[in-house]
Amino acid sequence: MDDRQLQQWVEHISLTSFGRPFLHKARFNRRLTSTGGRYFTKSHDIEISWAQLEQFGPEDVEKIIKHELCHYHLHLLNRGYLHRDADFKTLLRQVGGTRFCRSLPTAKRKEPYRYKLICSSCKTEYLRKRKLDPKKYACGKCRGKLKLHELDSKQNS
């Protein structure tokens, strides 16, 4: 399936489930792994995760499309289009969309910590994924100096 077919699919779902046309662009995004889709409030475009289609098939992606179309139509109607809004929850239930997409097993969810900061005064440890300059920070408990240690990859996985 390509972007042109996705566009037609989204337009069809919009007309059949919502009774309103989808007048903007729909496209696949191959980098989306932690989310099923996105709706852009400025351009009104929709992006759908290619990985969701590959992993779980068109049934799940149709529910994701309905979710994103709820954002789309409610936003254009100046009604509550955010996840927390009652209008959004009601419409999502009516059209049979999904509130959350399924997690991808291939998505790298949690990176191991690579660095540890240790307070020289109270010995409090802070784990970090990114390297930072310890001179710019102080201990959150005692305001002591921090020392940076690099962790082994085997130690924290």
Side-chain angles (χ1 to χ4, degrees):
M1 181 176 281
D2 60 6
D3 286 349
R4 187 180 44 78
Q5 292 169 312
L6 176 66
Q7 179 76 31
Q8 292 172 347
W9 191 17
V10 171
E11 289 171 2
H12 174 74
I13 292 171
S14 182
L15 283 173
T16 57
S17 297
F18 296 85
R20 301 179 64 84
F22 177 72
L23 303 172
H24 293 84
K25 297 234 186 307
R27 62 185 165 271
F28 282 113
N29 185 335
R30 294 181 185 270
R31 292 170 307 190
L32 287 182
T33 55
S34 63
T35 185
R38 291 194 291 200
Y39 166 66
F40 296 96
T41 55
K42 288 189 172 137
S43 66
H44 306 296
D45 293 347
I46 290 176
E47 285 186 347
I48 302 296
S49 169
W50 176 260
Q52 288 284 330
L53 180 64
E54 280 187 326
Q55 191 72 37
F56 303 116
E59 298 83 21
D60 280 18
V61 173
E62 184 169 337
K63 292 176 183 174
I64 293 168
I65 290 170
K66 288 179 179 179
H67 176 107
E68 300 310 326
L69 283 172
C70 285
H71 289 300
Y72 173 80
H73 288 299
L74 290 170
H75 184 243
L76 292 179
L77 293 170
N78 292 321
R79 293 180 48 208
Y81 66 93
L82 300 174
H83 291 121
R84 65 176 177 254
D85 295 327
D87 288 337
F88 179 81
K89 292 176 185 176
T90 305
L91 183 59
L92 191 63
R93 214 173 301 115
Q94 286 173 356
V95 297
T98 182
R99 185 85 195 265
F100 304 102
C101 68
R102 291 163 56 179
S103 294
L104 293 167
T106 57
K108 190 176 180 182
R109 287 248 168 234
K110 195 169 184 179
E111 294 178 19
Y113 294 110
R114 295 180 56 203
Y115 302 97
K116 186 192 302 185
L117 293 159
I118 302 174
C119 176
S120 56
S121 302
C122 68
K123 306 298 182 213
T124 302
E125 295 182 357
Y126 300 95
L127 294 174
R128 294 291 177 263
K129 293 178 183 180
R130 294 185 180 187
K131 191 173 184 177
L132 54 86
D133 184 5
K135 294 176 198 154
K136 293 183 178 179
Y137 301 94
C139 176
K141 290 185 178 178
C142 71
R143 308 298 297 157
K145 290 190 177 207
L146 298 174
K147 185 166 183 176
L148 182 69
H149 297 277
E150 194 163 345
L151 300 173
D152 295 336
S153 59
K154 295 172 191 165
Q155 180 182 4
N156 57 5
S157 53

